[in-house]
Amino acid sequence: MQLSLELIDIAVRDKQVHPRLQGRITGHVRALLSEDDGAHSQTHDLTIAVWADLPQDANEAHTDMALMVKAAGIIARLKRRLAGR
């Protein structure tokens, strides 16, 4: 059985400056995934907790991109683990 897991949409849900670590941003990224095993198709709406260390001059677009890249990496690891089962 071939399992397909595709990222449909990704967006930053919220973000904030870490209370103690300078330069660290924490937040949550919403990821919409489509799962198809050949017989069934399902959509998953996930919220992924992420963090990123950024320079002081990082603008909002860079911050959002860093958080989404972190979430995409987590999803990629999940896909690799599911493929090896």
Side-chain angles (χ1 to χ4, degrees), residues 14-31:
D14 63 73
K15 61 184 176 246
Q16 55 278 332
V17 174
H18 192 280
R20 292 179 302 281
L21 300 175
Q22 186 174 0
R24 179 161 292 181
I25 303 295
T26 62
H28 296 93
V29 171
R30 178 184 174 265

Side-chain angles (χ1 to χ4, degrees), residues 1-9 31-46 75 78-79 82-83 85:
M1 172 174 60
Q2 183 68 16
L3 176 68
S4 170
L5 191 62
E6 299 300 323
L7 180 62
I8 299 171
D9 189 33
L32 194 60
L33 302 174
S34 173
E35 176 187 9
D36 187 354
D37 66 3
H40 301 90
S41 184
Q42 187 171 359
T43 302
H44 303 282
D45 192 351
L46 305 177
I75 293 166
L78 173 66
K79 286 176 70 170
L82 288 173
R85 62 179 183 156

